[in-house]
Amino acid sequence: MHRHFHQSLMAAAGALATLMLSQPASAATPQITSPVNEGAVVALAPDMHPNAIAANDRGRVADNMRIEDMMLLLHRSDEQEKALLKLNHDQLDRTSPHYHKWLTAKEFGKRFGLAQSDIDALTAWLTSHGFEVKNVPAGGRTIDFAGTAGQIREAFHTEIHRLADGHYANMNNPQMPAALAPAVIGIPKLTDYMPHKNLVRKDFTYTSGTKTYHAIVPEDLATIYNLDPVFKSGNVGQGQTVVVIEDSDVGTTADWTTFRNKFGLSGYTTASFTQVHPTGSVTCTDPGAGGAEDEANLDAQWASAGAPGAAIVLASCRDGSQFGGFVALENLINGASIPPVVSISYGTGEEGDGQTENQFIYSLYQQASTEGVSVFVSSGDEGSAENDHRGSNPTHGISISGWMSTPYDVSVGGTDFADTYLGTSKKYWKKKNTANYGSAKSYMPEFPWDDSCANVPLSTSKGFATPYGSAGYCNNGGPHSSVAGSGGPSNCATGQGSGGLINGTCAGWPKPDWQVLYGVPNDGVRDTPDVSLMAANGLWGHYYVFCDTDGGTCGDDPAGWPGAGGTSFASPIWAGFMALIVNKAGGPQGLPNPVLYQIANEEYGKKGSKACNSSGKKASKPSTSCIFYDVTLGDNDVNCSGTVNCYLPSGATGVLSTSDSEYQPAFATKKGYDFATGIGTVNVANLVNAWPE
């Protein structure tokens, strides 16, 4: 049954432009039509963490261990799904009468939620097994419930065990009565594994000798990516809201104010910063200032750098079974006040999330998009080795984050500036800082952010002909690291993998009809990232600064402030750019990708754009008319070992490759779209001016 659902979903998504179904206005047809027989059960969609194997098993948890914020992910009918896909398409089609006709949460639930009799049957069944049914969000996609490990075992026929690393997880896929299953996809999470933040502290260990570092500040951002003309036109994002979804509060909102005062943003008086714990359909409790406080600080501060007059809202909830940030977003999109722009800087591999959690993320972003929300998500900081997060020598092959691989978000990748590598730094940086600590002169060449020995520009700069092989850089002192801007094809979003292997049960999200551009591979799946931005953490001398008084000092000289990189910076900054677009366009824009790819197509054409090549000859600069800068130098490849997607001709360390038998780096840049940087980076003023109203 659920396999049929995934197939129909994929088929429908591939035919968005040709579906001609009318939009339903009445309640859904009931899917639960038979009496419940507890003796006749079926498996729900797969929901197993890769670590939940016998070798890691440390025994069953206590029956009375309570798990909060479990969500039953509901299955709308195939007819409803097709109609929703058609509406999603029409909302972004300027020729459609449904163009930019966003729904409220109640309208979404009425048209695409389950029949009330199905909801009643499911809540009655959960209650009969002792669960606390907390609420059914207005969008009708989920039922929020809580209960104990013993109740889970009795009702869903799966045991919760403690694992070797201290986490807990279910040891087999959940089951439930066959009579109820037509209305249910599964339970997105029955573990306490949470996502990682996409933040990497500055790291200078790969450098040697005397070196000048350029700490990026808001004025540099505005100069390099051409924000100043937008600000001078009077558009600073005033009246707009950017929500950063977090797993922590900030210790003090004064850090945001200090950041803006120090870097010349305090004159934009329409700006504000608040942190909220959204109430509503799902229970949200204050997480306090925890281990992700640095992430929360940088997201709020750099979103404000992208739109210095906008209201920045930090939304966070305490983790339960589900990530607290998703609880916050669930409440926001099911509430009365829908944010126009959202940024998320966390992630987990598609396979690690499992099929049901991936579908939950898909459905969450899909509802947000249907309501007009533009969702930006950092692509990740692991190159294309997400399953080996921060591993020194990845072994699990090519993998990407499931948090950014859906068709309903903008995936934001990472670059570094190439001036140090090219020996042209004097051309692009002033000798002295301005009053606001800026020093950039103009846009400058970029290449993918990559701290690994597998990166060709790094290995050649060290005098090696190749990064691989016994004579290559990775086997002769080069840094073993998976820290790099992430990107790649969706490959395990709708199936359950095994230890990182892409096997017959794995499948990626289907390629959206808008993802057409010179360089986009004909692979049939969603490709990431969509766009990129500077995200480096210091290897070539470039990194961001931010204020976090709990994790460092924010003294008079920002050179001593905390420094870092990561697509954690790129996503909220792009969200800030989107606030400028929303302000200019006069209202929410929903999913930006169709417009981004349309504009890129006009620029790149059928052969790519020489005039907009970011990585051309040393003496050349891209045209001032460019909207996107096409990054064509370098790669985001990382080192590896093992036998999965690892080219290892000799030596102990190989490089991540789409072929085990020849060098096909994962992934090199090329003209037009590529997995390392997507469309590329941006001239913001030109993008804002080109955006259709």
Side-chain angles (χ1 to χ4, degrees), residues 199-203 294 390 537-538 546 548 551-552 561-565:
L199 158 69
V200 184
R201 291 287 184 159
K202 66 181 180 183
D203 191 340
D294 51 357
R390 305 288 160 82
N537 66 318
F546 64 102
D548 179 13
W561 286 22

Side-chain angles (χ1 to χ4, degrees), residues 180-265:
L180 300 174
V184 177
I185 295 174
I187 306 173
K189 279 177 94 280
L190 284 174
T191 81
D192 63 344
Y193 285 97
M194 291 297 155
H196 52 258
K197 55 192 179 184
N198 288 321
L199 158 69
V200 184
R201 291 287 184 159
K202 66 181 180 183
D203 191 340
F204 307 150
T205 59
Y206 304 157
T207 65
S208 61
T210 302
K211 191 169 186 176
T212 300
Y213 293 97
H214 298 287
I216 308 303
V217 300
E219 186 175 287
D220 295 324
L221 181 80
T223 298
I224 296 166
Y225 295 113
N226 202 29
L227 289 161
D228 287 330
V230 186
F231 299 161
K232 290 177 181 178
S233 75
N235 181 0
V236 292
Q238 67 273 24
Q240 303 304 321
T241 300
V242 177
V243 175
V244 291
I245 299 297
E246 302 298 341
D247 202 29
S248 171
D249 295 344
V250 297
T252 171
T253 57
D255 285 351
W256 184 82
T257 302
T258 299
F259 178 87
R260 286 174 57 86
N261 288 342
K262 178 60 66 175
F263 297 124
L265 303 180

Side-chain angles (χ1 to χ4, degrees), residues 193-511:
Y193 285 97
M194 291 297 155
H196 52 258
K197 55 192 179 184
N198 288 321
L199 158 69
V200 184
R201 291 287 184 159
K202 66 181 180 183
D203 191 340
F204 307 150
T205 59
Y206 304 157
T207 65
S208 61
T210 302
K211 191 169 186 176
T212 300
Y213 293 97
H214 298 287
I216 308 303
V217 300
E219 186 175 287
D220 295 324
L221 181 80
T223 298
I224 296 166
Y225 295 113
N226 202 29
L227 289 161
D228 287 330
V230 186
F231 299 161
K232 290 177 181 178
S233 75
N235 181 0
V236 292
Q238 67 273 24
Q240 303 304 321
T241 300
V242 177
V243 175
V244 291
I245 299 297
E246 302 298 341
D247 202 29
S248 171
D249 295 344
V250 297
T252 171
T253 57
D255 285 351
W256 184 82
T257 302
T258 299
F259 178 87
R260 286 174 57 86
N261 288 342
K262 178 60 66 175
F263 297 124
L265 303 180
S266 57
Y268 300 107
T269 57
T270 58
S272 62
F273 176 47
T274 55
Q275 49 186 358
V276 300
H277 313 107
T279 58
S281 302
V282 186
T283 302
C284 176
T285 56
D286 185 350
E293 183 188 2
D294 51 357
E295 181 68 64
N297 267 312
L298 76 87
D299 286 349
Q301 291 165 24
W302 280 95
S304 189
I312 308 299
V313 176
L314 187 161
S316 62
C317 299
R318 182 174 297 169
D319 296 335
S321 173
Q322 188 53 260
F323 169 60
F326 280 165
V327 172
L329 182 56
E330 188 82 58
N331 284 340
L332 287 171
I333 66 171
N334 284 293
S337 181
I338 308 298
V341 185
V342 164
S343 175
I344 302 171
S345 291
Y346 298 80
T348 307
E350 285 182 324
E351 184 188 14
D353 282 331
Q355 180 176 337
T356 315
E357 177 74 353
N358 284 327
Q359 292 212 344
F360 169 77
I361 296 169
Y362 175 105
S363 73
L364 183 68
Y365 297 172
Q366 183 182 38
Q367 181 180 339
S369 178
T370 309
E371 296 175 3
V373 183
S374 299
V375 179
F376 290 78
V377 187
S378 57
S379 71
D381 302 343
E382 293 77 36
S384 294
E386 177 69 31
N387 285 346
D388 294 273
H389 173 62
R390 305 288 160 82
S392 62
N393 221 24
T395 60
H396 291 85
I398 296 170
S399 55
I400 64 170
S401 169
W403 289 49
M404 58 89 183
S405 68
T406 85
Y408 293 101
D409 65 271
V410 180
S411 170
V412 186
T415 62
D416 197 348
F417 299 126
D419 58 293
T420 306
Y421 170 73
L422 296 173
T424 58
S425 294
K426 291 181 180 180
K427 181 177 179 180
Y428 298 107
W429 300 98
K430 301 172 184 176
K431 291 183 178 180
K432 294 183 179 181
N433 291 332
T434 67
N436 295 323
Y437 298 92
S439 58
K441 295 180 181 180
S442 68
Y443 179 75
M444 62 192 76
E446 295 178 86
F447 53 9
W449 166 47
D450 190 347
D451 290 357
S452 170
C453 60
N455 178 239
V456 169
L458 180 59
S459 63
T460 56
S461 73
K462 300 298 183 181
F464 290 86
T466 65
Y468 57 84
S470 57
Y473 188 38
C474 286
N475 286 295
N476 291 276
H480 288 188
S481 170
S482 63
V483 172
S486 294
S490 176
N491 57 33
C492 203
T494 62
Q496 193 75 14
S498 176
L501 293 174
I502 308 224
N503 58 36
T505 63
C506 272
W509 293 121
K511 190 180 296 296

